[in-house]
Structures are given as structure tokens and as C-alpha cells.
Amino acid sequence: MKTLVVLTGAGMSAESGIKTFRDMGGLWEQYDIMEVASPEGWAKHPEVVLEFYNQRRKQLFESSPNKGHLELAEMEKYFNVKIITQNVDDLHERAGSSNVLHLHGELKKARSTVDPSLVYELDHWELKIGDKCEKGSQLRPHVVWFGEAVPAISEAEKIVKTADIFVVIGTSLNVYPAAGLLWNIPPGIPVYLIDPGEMNITQGLNVTQIKKKASEGIAELKKMIT
Ligand code: OAD
């Protein structure tokens, strides 16, 4: 079986009703990144940061995987599918994908602020001031903030190098190191870009652009490669 490596971003979940970050009306138009998604913001007003992620988590509990997530899960019939996602939602997993690496953390998990190895599953949407880990320190969202390291990046680089086919879905490729994963694509292999927006990354890559929303784009990709 060939290995299909897929890099997904916020556009993958847009059809589930989850806002992207940089599109018109996106989250970063509504919120100041440094206020809600940085260690500085957390030090200044943890309650504002918790509330931002609580709203995202509440919405996630009310959302479902879209047709695109389901189609990608189905691809496991034909390929060894490895998904690397920048998304903090769990919609790939809920659609049935069995191999998902989260680069930017997971919304449904919380983490200790004194011991990063203490990570807890959340079965409710609200994380509050006063919610503590077993060592007595405040819990924070288990997500990567701006200015923080991306611990999963070296594993992601290894995965990219195993690709026979590489697919990019719904990411503006604005954020590093995630966007730099493309530098690890084996030379010459087919690369498919699924995004309704303008993309400009064809340099040195064997790219086919499918200028469609994730659900339609993945259906089209399936016809092309299976
Ligand atoms: P962006 O909001 O930067 O980009 C979203 C991309 O999805 C754009 O290229 C859109 O054209 C595309 N898009 C919109 N609707 C779509 C649809 N229905 N189907 C397919 N594509 C669609 O989101 P990301 O690239 O994921 O990080 O952002 C990367 C990181 O920046 C996020 O993980 C987050 C953010 O700040 C952190 O918070 C650390």
C-alpha cells in the first residue's frame, strides 16, 4: 500500500462550522493573537485565555466531522494514510482516521502548568481558574501558543519523508514550523493542494492544485488517485 501523507489546517474543519484564522471574518480578525494565544497573554490575564479556548471547546463539542473528514478516513481502504494536522479539534479522529498527529495540541485536553507531562482529557467544555493538576497547579489548555516550541515537529518531519503522495488541505501555510514541513517532501512525488483560496507554493514541487472546498476537493482527489 502506498503512503498518503496529509497536512491539514483550519480550512479542513470550515465545513463543520469552525472558523478559520486568517480568512475574512476569521478568528484573528476578532481576537488579538497575543492576548489569547501567547504565554504573555496567559501571564497577563489567564481568565481571558481560558474563556477564548472555552468558547472554541464548547463549539467543538457541538460540531461534527464533515464530508471531507469522512472521505479522508475512507482513504484508509486504499492507502496507508498519515494525517498531520495543525487543528486542535478532534474531527479527524471522530471521522474514523486512525493515524493523526496534532502539531498544535488538542482542545479537549488540559495540561499542568508545572509539569507538562501531566495531560488530562476533558469531558466538558469549561476549564476554569482554580482547576488544578494533581500537583496543585492551575491547568492550561493543551495547545501550542505563539512563541512556544512545537514538540511534535520532528516526528512530523519524519512522517513527511515517508510520503508516496502528499496532500495539503485548508491551510494558508503562514505559520512555521508547520509550513516548513513541505521542505521535507521527497523530491518528485505528486503533491495535491486542496484549498479554494490562492496558493503560491509550487516552487520545486510537483503540485496539482484543486481549487475547491475540502469536501469537494477530497472527493475529486479520490477519483484521481484511487
Ligand atoms: P488559516 O486561517 O491561516 O488558513 C485557512 C486556509 O483554509 C486558507 O488557505 C483558506 O483559503 C482555506 N479554506 C477556507 N475554507 C476552506 C474550506 N471549506 N475547505 C478548504 N480550505 C478552506 O488557518 P491555518 O493555516 O490552519 O495556530 O492556520 C495555521 C495556524 O495558525 C493554526 O493552527 C493556529 C493559527 O494561529 C495556533 O494557534 C498555534
Side-chain angles (χ1 to χ4, degrees):
M1 245 188 195
K2 284 190 172 174
T3 296
L4 183 74
V5 177
V6 187
L7 173 67
T8 64
M12 182 75 227
S13 300
E15 290 167 83
S16 294
I18 296 177
K19 278 188 178 173
T20 63
F21 297 96
R22 294 174 187 79
D23 288 309
M24 244 207 306
L27 283 174
W28 295 153
E29 228 172 57
Q30 214 180 328
Y31 295 91
D32 180 336
I33 297 186
M34 295 312 280
E35 292 291 315
V36 299
S38 76
E40 292 81 2
W42 176 250
K44 187 169 141 197
H45 45 217
E47 67 291 348
V48 172
V49 176
L50 287 180
E51 181 55 18
F52 172 72
Y53 286 100
N54 283 345
Q55 288 310 317
R56 312 274 77 73
R57 197 177 299 110
K58 183 168 190 279
Q59 189 189 17
L60 178 55
F61 274 106
E62 292 158 0
S63 304
S64 307
N66 64 54
K67 214 165 133 254
H69 292 109
L70 297 168
E71 292 253 16
L72 262 190
E74 275 232 348
M75 290 277 209
E76 292 189 9
K77 283 189 198 153
Y78 311 99
F79 297 99
N80 176 18
V81 180
K82 301 178 186 176
I83 298 176
I84 301 168
T85 187
Q86 295 166 86
N87 299 343
V88 292
D89 65 53
D90 60 350
L91 298 178
H92 283 305
E93 288 91 337
R94 276 156 62 190
S97 284
S98 49
N99 199 342
V100 184
L101 178 71
H102 285 271
L103 275 182
H104 293 161
E106 290 169 78
L107 203 44
K108 285 190 180 169
K109 291 182 180 169
R111 179 166 93 229
S112 162
T113 42
V114 292
D115 180 350
S117 72
L118 295 175
V119 175
Y120 304 88
E121 297 272 346
L122 292 171
D123 57 6
H124 54 284
W125 61 270
E126 207 174 12
L127 189 59
K128 296 194 276 273
I129 296 289
D131 288 345
K132 294 185 174 153
C133 75
E134 66 215 52
K135 291 188 176 169
S137 82
Q138 176 65 41
L139 289 174
R140 59 165 276 180
H142 182 50
V143 297
V144 173
W145 287 327
F146 282 87
E148 291 188 318
V150 178
I153 196 70
S154 51
E155 195 184 339
E157 284 167 0
K158 283 187 202 137
I159 292 171
V160 174
K161 288 176 184 160
T162 67
D164 295 307
I165 302 173
F166 194 85
V167 186
V168 181
I169 308 173
T171 170
S172 65
L173 296 169
N174 262 298
V175 172
Y176 285 80
L181 285 173
L182 271 62
W183 303 327
N184 295 279
I185 296 174
I189 68 157
V191 176
Y192 295 88
L193 258 184
I194 300 173
D195 196 301
E198 282 306 326
M199 300 294 290
N200 234 337
I201 60 137
T202 51
Q203 232 179 11
L205 294 171
N206 174 16
V207 175
T208 303
Q209 195 166 350
I210 303 175
K211 230 178 146 191
K212 295 199 165 150
K213 288 183 176 179
S215 59
E216 293 165 41
I218 294 166
E220 192 164 317
L221 172 74
K222 195 171 163 193
K223 281 192 215 138
M224 291 162 94
I225 63 174
T226 58

